[in-house]
Amino acid sequence: MLSWIPLKTISGSETHPLGTSGEYLVASKFERLGIKTERVDRDEDDLWCKTPSGIFFTVEVKTSQKPSVEERRKTQYSFGMKHGKLMWKSDVAVFVAFDLERIIVVSTKNLSTRVRILPSVFTQSIENKLLTQLLKFPPYSLEEIKCLAQSDK
């Protein structure tokens, strides 16, 4: 289980081991595809990336340890923006299901600041399709990913 990822990182006065670990997981998956990544850890961006074809894009990574049940909803992974943020500033959001070591790559265009994703969407097949689309840029929207998940069943 990802023993090479640092488990404790300090950012300001708070520790963010889960978020940092998610960023390293995403960077690793991107690098294997030939996408150059630089971890920048700024308020609006976690990674700066460049595809093999030269397209530059910014990424915000959101990591969840495991799915949970919220207010009578189905068990799902829940991701949210920091308090006070009203919109995404990065080009791409990557949602990490850390317990599964799977990611969902999505365009931030028209993306809500609160995102919930069913565990069944975090599959190797869907991840591969999303990473392939990312190389072509732009990535799929969340609505397109939901359609992919339905057709993947």
Side-chain angles (χ1 to χ4, degrees):
M1 162 111 177
L2 301 175
S3 58
W4 56 272
I5 293 178
L7 295 178
K8 190 158 188 165
T9 301
I10 307 232
S11 174
S13 62
E14 302 176 43
T15 60
H16 300 284
L18 181 62
T20 301
S21 297
E23 292 166 15
Y24 279 106
L25 176 64
V26 171
S28 171
K29 289 179 182 258
F30 282 12
E31 289 279 345
R32 281 186 238 151
L33 287 173
I35 298 172
K36 294 179 182 176
T37 63
E38 184 71 33
R39 187 171 171 273
V40 295
D41 201 20
R42 299 182 185 267
D43 281 342
E44 59 277 343
D45 300 327
D46 296 316
L47 302 172
W48 288 347
C49 304
K50 187 176 179 182
T51 66
S53 63
I55 298 171
F56 175 82
F57 62 96
T58 59
V59 177
E60 183 159 351
V61 177
K62 293 294 181 182
T63 305
S64 180
Q65 180 72 38
K66 60 185 178 184
S68 60
V69 177
E70 295 178 357
E71 302 174 24
R72 297 179 297 225
R73 296 177 188 265
K74 290 182 180 179
T75 300
Q76 55 196 335
Y77 291 90
S78 182
F79 305 92
M81 300 293 280
K82 291 178 183 170
H83 181 70
K85 281 181 99 175
L86 301 176
M87 61 184 287
W88 296 87
K89 303 235 176 168
S90 298
D91 303 310
V92 174
V94 179
F95 300 110
V96 178
F98 199 74
D99 57 332
L100 302 175
E101 297 181 19
R102 295 271 177 256
I103 65 173
I104 298 293
V105 181
V106 62
S107 169
T108 57
K109 185 177 179 183
N110 301 319
L111 185 64
S112 170
T113 57
R114 175 56 117 190
V115 175
R116 293 176 180 87
I117 303 174
L118 295 172
S120 60
V121 177
F122 286 95
T123 66
Q124 184 68 56
S125 173
I126 290 174
E127 181 178 304
N128 290 344
K129 289 174 185 174
L130 299 178
L131 290 171
T132 299
Q133 179 63 32
L134 181 63
L135 285 169
K136 299 173 189 173
F137 210 85
Y140 289 121
S141 69
L142 193 56
E143 291 306 313
E144 291 170 313
I145 293 169
K146 288 178 183 176
C147 291
L148 275 178
Q150 289 298 321
S151 67
D152 214 44
K153 291 181 179 179

